[in-house]
Amino acid sequence: MQPLTARQGDTVDALIWREAGLGAGSIGAVLDANPGLADRGPILPLGTVVMVPISKAPEATRQRPLTQLWD
């Protein structure tokens, strides 16, 4: 588990994306690891510590095919 600390105006998805490189698919695991976190509302209070399960392959490192506008 990796502890992350919320900044002012952070949501769970913004926090885990910025600090751990995890996308929307990881929110369920984060909420499971932090009972009561969803009760704090959509904007986390400043300084809230969120425990993030460390995954072997974060979503941010996956390769996506490049799409060109004029292909």
Side-chain angles (χ1 to χ4, degrees):
M1 294 280 222
Q2 176 185 4
L4 305 179
T5 304
R7 297 180 187 169
Q8 184 174 356
D10 267 348
T11 59
V12 173
D13 56 337
L15 175 64
I16 66 173
W17 171 255
R18 182 185 65 242
E19 300 293 334
L22 300 174
S26 301
I27 293 175
V30 172
L31 293 175
D32 289 343
N34 297 275
L37 184 63
D39 297 334
R40 295 180 180 234
I43 305 296
L44 296 172
L46 178 66
T48 300
V49 176
V50 177
M51 299 303 292
V52 177
I54 299 173
S55 66
K56 295 180 183 176
E59 293 176 22
T61 62
R62 294 183 190 159
Q63 294 292 327
R64 294 184 180 173
L66 181 63
T67 302
Q68 298 286 336
L69 184 59
W70 288 278
D71 276 351

